[in-house]
Amino acid sequence: MSEIGLNKLKRLGYQFWSSKSPQENLSEESIVFYVLGHKTLITGKLKEFNEYPRIISSISRILGLTDNEIRKIDKSESSVNEFNLVIDFAQELSFKTKKTIKFDSLKLLIKDKGLKESFYKELRGLN
């Protein structure tokens, strides 16, 4: 189709999209995985962790760990290992674990005072 014909169709209200390549899977790319002390896995959306950057270090301090014991891993490594605790803010994957704590999103946890208190008490009980 010529450029003139394409422009005429666009003015008439037609919309044209370019197809996505199969390599572009935004939901998997936006999920990050953190391991705290080889026993705890935290998953969530990168955007939410960028909005609340101190949450990972706060959770590690509650569990009695240092910031040096936090490391970022990839999806394949998270599915192979078994963890004592998984804190899941993404709710898109399943893991080998003894205990799982799931949230709809990190933002909901931060905004709800009662939820934060119960989460804190539960983490202190695991320590």
Side-chain angles (χ1 to χ4, degrees), residues 8 16 18-19 21-22 26 32 38 41 52 55 60-61 78-79 83 88-89 100-101 106-107 113 115 117-118 123:
K8 284 182 184 178
F16 299 93
S18 60
S19 61
S21 68
L26 299 177
V32 292
H38 305 292
L41 175 69
Y52 306 102
I55 190 70
S60 71
R61 276 188 242 118
S78 69
S79 61
F83 300 98
D88 187 7
F89 294 106
T100 302
I101 302 173
L106 179 58
K107 186 180 239 181
K113 184 178 179 181
L115 194 57
E117 287 176 1
S118 65
L123 287 179

Side-chain angles (χ1 to χ4, degrees), residues 107-125:
K107 186 180 239 181
L108 291 175
L109 174 66
I110 299 297
K111 303 253 183 213
D112 189 346
K113 184 178 179 181
L115 194 57
K116 278 194 290 190
E117 287 176 1
S118 65
F119 178 61
Y120 175 78
K121 288 177 185 175
E122 190 164 354
L123 287 179
R124 292 298 291 169

Side-chain angles (χ1 to χ4, degrees), residues 6-17:
L6 186 63
N7 287 334
K8 284 182 184 178
L9 289 173
K10 283 182 182 178
R11 279 184 281 171
L12 290 172
Y14 289 92
Q15 296 180 346
F16 299 93
W17 293 275

Side-chain angles (χ1 to χ4, degrees), residues 39-41 63 83-87 97 99-101 123 126:
K39 297 184 293 183
T40 304
L41 175 69
L63 293 172
F83 300 98
N84 290 342
L85 173 66
V86 173
I87 303 170
T97 181
K99 181 168 179 75
T100 302
I101 302 173
L123 287 179
L126 294 172

Side-chain angles (χ1 to χ4, degrees), residues 14-71:
Y14 289 92
Q15 296 180 346
F16 299 93
W17 293 275
S18 60
S19 61
K20 287 186 177 180
S21 68
Q23 297 172 348
E24 291 182 33
N25 190 348
L26 299 177
S27 65
E28 282 188 23
E29 288 180 24
S30 64
I31 296 177
V32 292
F33 305 90
Y34 294 99
V35 174
L36 309 178
H38 305 292
K39 297 184 293 183
T40 304
L41 175 69
I42 300 176
T43 69
K45 296 184 175 135
L46 179 62
K47 181 180 177 183
E48 289 183 338
F49 284 125
N50 288 338
E51 287 178 27
Y52 306 102
R54 296 180 4 203
I55 190 70
I56 300 294
S57 61
S58 297
I59 292 172
S60 71
R61 276 188 242 118
I62 293 169
L63 293 172
L65 303 170
T66 64
D67 287 345
N68 295 335
E69 296 177 274
I70 301 171
R71 64 185 180 98

